[in-house]
Amino acid sequence: MRHETFSNERTREIVSSHLGLEGPLLPILHAVRETFGYVPEAAVPVIAEELNLSRAEVHGVVTFYHDFNRAPHGRHVVKICRAEACQSVGVETLVAHAERSLGVSMGETSPDGRVTLEPIYCLGLCACAPAAMVDGRIIGRLDMEAIDEIVAEVDR
């Protein structure tokens, strides 16, 4: 999906189209993310001004929710569950393997824009093995072989 280049004007249009909603901040942030592919830092003061909120209030919501990325994602997004249940069955070893294999640290995007590696907290599949999500597709029973398959998929 191609995203638009950020502009204050387009951000104001998005805000304006949501002003009739009760509690419009979350829908506006979702629309900004859909439009630009992320929530640019420059959008925060525009949204705050248009909604008569402080920048801190808008920034707090953006940083609270993991789905409001503040930089463009890579072409592929790999999310590995780091909730307590997955930690108890060894997900940290898998995270380290994924970081080495993908060439990117958790929470970052590769310099070539190929992949973003992010934490996620609970996919509901943690009965016996960690889980992951690749480009929105859930993968259960995550192990080293599954990580290697993910790496091969994003390298295509």
Side-chain angles (χ1 to χ4, degrees), residues 11 14-15 18-19 24-33 47 51:
T11 303
I14 292 167
V15 172
H18 290 81
L19 285 178
L25 181 55
L26 283 175
I28 288 168
L29 291 172
H30 282 289
V32 165
R33 188 197 173 290
I47 295 167
L51 294 180

Side-chain angles (χ1 to χ4, degrees), residues 66-119:
H66 291 283
D67 284 339
F68 296 136
N69 51 306
R70 293 177 286 162
H73 276 150
R75 288 183 304 281
H76 299 282
V77 178
V78 177
K79 297 181 180 187
I80 299 177
C81 184
R82 296 187 88 179
E84 291 81 4
C86 288
Q87 288 180 33
S88 72
V89 291
V91 75
E92 294 309 319
T93 301
L94 298 174
V95 167
H97 181 63
E99 289 176 327
R100 281 190 307 277
S101 300
L102 291 168
V104 64
S105 296
M106 185 62 74
E108 295 181 355
T109 299
S110 61
D112 62 2
R114 175 180 51 93
V115 63
T116 298
L117 182 61
E118 293 186 333

Side-chain angles (χ1 to χ4, degrees), residues 48-70:
E49 178 183 327
E50 295 294 316
L51 294 180
N52 196 28
L53 298 171
S54 71
R55 289 180 184 186
E57 289 173 297
V58 176
H59 177 78
V61 173
V62 170
T63 57
F64 179 79
Y65 293 101
H66 291 283
D67 284 339
F68 296 136
N69 51 306
R70 293 177 286 162

